Each structure stands twice: as structure tokens, then as C-alpha cells.
Amino acid sequence: MTGLVVCVLVLAAASTFGVLQRRRSGRVRVRARDEGSRLAAEELGAELGERATLVQFSSAFCAPCRATRRVLADVAGMVPGVAHVEIDAEENLDLVRRLDILKTPTVLVLDAGGRVVRRATGQPRKADVIAALGEAV
């Protein structure tokens, strides 16, 4: 009987954790650790956008990264002066460590000067990316 109770408690805890993790994934938010973080064109390997830049950290076998790439490319195509830059996390480990990128996809929204204004971990929704751009431009 004790084994059954433990099993039920473990399943309940795992389910709760899964639901909370799923709700957080893809949310665009500001982190205190991003305060003052800036990225230059040299670090990105591409020019910054006139108004804002969407930086996506991806990895080769990441399925959500492909969907995120489409979302960010659509947004960059819709909003004038916004660039989309994709960075391979595995090839840029120093930058990944400096920016505390823990999983892919991670999206950083930069203002025109390269300052990080928002961050999303997981696949963001198009509406959330557009809203985050409002703060950057």
C-alpha cells in the first residue's frame, strides 16, 4: 500500500512540474541577469537591424528551432527595420555561456543598440514576439 501512495505522489509531482514547465516555455520575458547585456554585430556574425534584432540560438537536432525560425522570419519580414539572426549554440559556446543560454531555442530581442530587452526560452508565439518588439523599437 505504501508503494502505491509513493507512486501516486510521484506521478502528481511530475504532472505538476510538466504543466508548469509547458506554461513557461515560449513566454517572452525580461530577466534581471539580462540587464545591461549587449551584443555587437561582430559577436552575432551579422548586422544589427535598424530598429531591432531577433537573435535565435538553435541546435542541429532541435525540432522547435525550425518552427521558431519560421515565426521569427515572418515577424522580421512584417516589421520594417527588424533583422533575424540565427546562431548555432554548439558552435558559439563562449557566447552561450556569457548569455546563460540553457536550452534551444532561446530568442533574444535586441534594441537598435544591441541591448537585450526580452528573452524567450522555447518556441514563442508570433503575437508574443511582436509585442516584445514594441519595447525594443
Side-chain angles (χ1 to χ4, degrees), residues 28-35 116-119 135:
V28 180
R29 63 194 194 293
V30 176
R31 288 186 350 165
R33 286 180 272 177
D34 288 333
E35 294 283 327
V116 177
V117 294
R118 293 279 185 196
R119 171 187 290 244
E135 185 175 331

Side-chain angles (χ1 to χ4, degrees), residues 56-102:
Q56 175 185 350
F57 286 87
S58 300
S59 55
F61 299 103
C62 168
C65 293
R66 291 187 288 277
T68 299
R69 180 183 310 122
R70 285 191 298 273
V71 168
L72 298 181
D74 285 350
V75 171
M78 288 176 8
V79 183
V82 174
H84 170 226
V85 177
E86 187 169 3
I87 296 175
D88 186 330
E90 296 167 15
E91 292 180 8
N92 295 282
L93 291 177
D94 289 338
L95 189 57
V96 166
R97 287 184 191 110
R98 183 172 75 95
L99 295 170
D100 197 29
I101 306 295
L102 301 177

